[in-house]
Amino acid sequence: MNLANRITLARIFLVPIIMFFLLAKIDFAPIKFENFSITYNQIVAALIFIIAASTDGLDGYIARKNKLVTNLGKLLDPLADKLLVAAVLISLVEMGKLDAWIAIVIISREFAVTGLRQVALLEGKVLAASRWGKWKTGVQITMIIALLINNFPFALVGIPFDVAMTWVAAVITVYSGIDYFVKNKDLIPVQ
């Protein structure tokens, strides 16, 4: 259990904490400013999510730099990413901040690409993250943060940044998934 794997495990352990702050009904008065309002729970959840999301690059960097790449890390890292994103998306649906179909599209893409990666591993190949996959991750994280903080500061000036990011995330998520399958169509048995 090296440092990189511990960071990945910490990301997994932060998932239920984020969900608690998003879904628990704690009655503190929300913070209000003009026509903007946000609960303390959302602020705490957003901060924990940002910390958790930032550890994704950190654990990989530490593992590669210190030659600590392990099979456990290869398994846990993508699992941690998917758990984090899926849990927060489902929580946002529960809170009425995200349409369920968007969460389903994003989560389905993750399952499909993970399945493709497993098929590739059985064939002795490793599918590296594509440029579109990296864009997808960045856009999804940006969308989630915007939704968690009620579109602050854009809500103050009437810009629907959170809505725009939701659509961008949906489109890039679908495109990146298609891109993985098109580039690796030789892995899909057609019989």
Side-chain angles (χ1 to χ4, degrees):
M1 185 58 63
N2 60 46
L3 177 60
N5 290 344
R6 285 187 183 128
I7 291 170
T8 303
L9 280 175
R11 186 161 69 252
I12 292 171
F13 290 129
L14 288 176
V15 170
I17 296 169
I18 294 168
M19 290 183 67
F20 170 80
F21 280 103
L22 289 177
L23 301 176
K25 305 295 184 213
I26 301 174
D27 289 334
F28 291 119
I31 298 170
K32 294 185 178 188
F33 180 74
E34 295 179 12
N35 63 343
F36 177 78
S37 175
I38 189 168
T39 66
Y40 287 98
N41 285 19
Q42 285 175 265
I43 294 169
V44 171
L47 291 173
I48 296 171
F49 176 80
I50 290 167
I51 291 166
S54 67
T55 66
D56 181 25
L58 180 63
D59 58 4
Y61 172 78
I62 290 171
R64 286 185 300 276
K65 181 180 181 216
N66 298 316
K67 296 183 172 114
L68 299 173
V69 176
T70 64
N71 287 336
L72 179 63
K74 289 178 189 177
L75 171 71
L76 287 181
D77 185 58
L79 176 66
D81 299 341
K82 284 156 187 49
L83 283 172
L84 178 65
V85 169
V88 175
L89 290 176
I90 292 166
S91 298
L92 288 168
V93 170
E94 173 70 18
M95 295 167 68
K97 295 184 163 297
L98 183 67
D99 289 338
W101 73 268
I102 297 278
I104 291 167
V105 165
I106 292 172
I107 293 168
S108 296
R109 181 265 185 214
E110 298 305 328
F111 279 123
V113 171
T114 298
L116 183 64
R117 287 180 187 275
Q118 294 302 317
V119 170
L121 282 175
L122 292 173
E123 297 289 325
K125 299 177 183 176
V126 175
L127 298 187
S130 72
R131 177 184 58 165
W132 284 106
K134 291 177 182 177
W135 272 98
K136 179 253 337 163
T137 300
V139 170
Q140 284 178 2
I141 289 170
T142 303
M143 172 199 74
I144 289 169
I145 293 169
L147 292 169
L148 288 175
I149 61 173
N150 294 346
N151 198 35
F152 182 82
F154 303 100
L156 298 175
V157 290
I159 297 172
F161 178 77
D162 56 347
V163 174
M165 288 309 299
T166 299
W167 282 102
V168 171
V171 169
I172 289 179
T173 296
V174 169
Y175 183 83
S176 70
I178 292 169
D179 183 56
Y180 269 105
F181 278 87
V182 168
K183 287 181 178 172
N184 297 288
K185 62 182 177 269
D186 58 310
L187 296 172
I188 304 166
V190 187
Q191 292 179 2

